[in-house]
Amino acid sequence: MASLSIRIGASLAVLLALSACNANRSRFPSLAIRPAERAYGTRQQAAPTPAPSAAATADLPTRVATLREQAAKSHARFTAQQASATALITAAKGSAPGTDTWSRAAIALAGLTSARGEGMIALSDLDRLLIAATETAATGPDNDLKVVALAHRDVAALLGEEDQTIAALRDKLGS
C-alpha cells in the first residue's frame, strides 16, 4: 500500500516536471544579456564633469552672501516668533491635547517650524555649492571652498540653535 502511494506520487511529480518544461515561453522575458548589461560589463567610464567656468566662480561670493542674508532673515523671523510661542507653550504645559490652550501652543510651535523653513532652503543651496566647491578644490584652487564652507558652517549653526529651541519647546508641550 505504501509503495503504491510512493509510485503514484513519483509519477505525478514526473508529470508535473515535464509539463513545466512544455510551458509557453513567450510569456516570460528573455534571460539573454541586454545591451545595457554589455555596456556595464565593459566598465565604460562616465564622461568627466566639466570644470566650472570663471564666470560661475566669479559670482559665487554674491550668491553665498545672498544665501547668508536669506538665512539671517529666516532666523530673525524665527526669533521674533519664539517669545510668543514660548509663552503659549508655557501656558499650555500640563493641559490635555485638544484643549484650546494646547492647540494654540501647538500652532505656535508649527509656526516656529515653518519660520525655520526658509533657512533650510538656504542651507540646502549652500550644500550644493559646498559639494561643487569641494570637487573643484580636489583638482584646483580652494578659494571657493573657503568662502562656501564658512557660510555653510554659520548657517548650519543658526539652524542648529533653532532645532534645539524647537525640540525643547516640543518636549515642554509634550507633543
Side-chain angles (χ1 to χ4, degrees), residues 93-114:
K93 187 175 179 181
S95 63
T99 61
D100 284 343
T101 55
W102 186 90
S103 296
R104 280 190 224 109
I107 290 170
L109 185 60
L112 279 180
T113 304
S114 178

Side-chain angles (χ1 to χ4, degrees), residues 11-170:
S11 299
L12 284 175
V14 169
L15 285 175
L16 285 173
L18 288 175
S19 68
C21 294
N22 197 16
N24 183 1
R25 294 174 193 245
S26 64
R27 296 184 327 185
F28 302 105
S30 168
L31 296 178
I33 295 176
R34 291 168 178 81
E37 294 167 334
R38 279 192 196 95
Y40 179 75
T42 60
R43 296 184 184 232
Q44 293 176 349
Q45 296 293 327
T49 55
S53 65
T57 58
D59 75 332
L60 183 69
T62 305
R63 289 187 355 213
V64 169
T66 301
L67 292 171
R68 270 183 184 262
E69 184 179 324
Q70 180 181 347
K73 286 179 181 177
S74 172
H75 187 68
R77 277 191 295 281
F78 181 90
T79 305
Q81 293 178 13
Q82 182 179 349
S84 64
T86 302
L88 287 169
I89 289 170
T90 301
K93 187 175 179 181
S95 63
T99 61
D100 284 343
T101 55
W102 186 90
S103 296
R104 280 190 224 109
I107 290 170
L109 185 60
L112 279 180
T113 304
S114 178
R116 182 179 159 276
E118 193 174 331
M120 287 299 295
I121 292 169
L123 184 62
S124 70
D125 289 345
L126 284 170
D127 284 342
R128 281 190 223 98
L129 291 175
L130 184 62
I131 290 168
T134 302
E135 289 173 351
T136 301
T139 59
D142 66 346
N143 298 337
D144 292 350
L145 180 61
K146 290 176 184 175
V147 170
V148 175
L150 180 63
H152 187 275
R153 185 195 70 215
D154 292 346
V155 171
L158 285 177
L159 289 168
E161 291 174 20
E162 293 175 4
D163 287 341
Q164 289 176 349
T165 300
I166 289 171
L169 291 174
R170 184 175 290 127

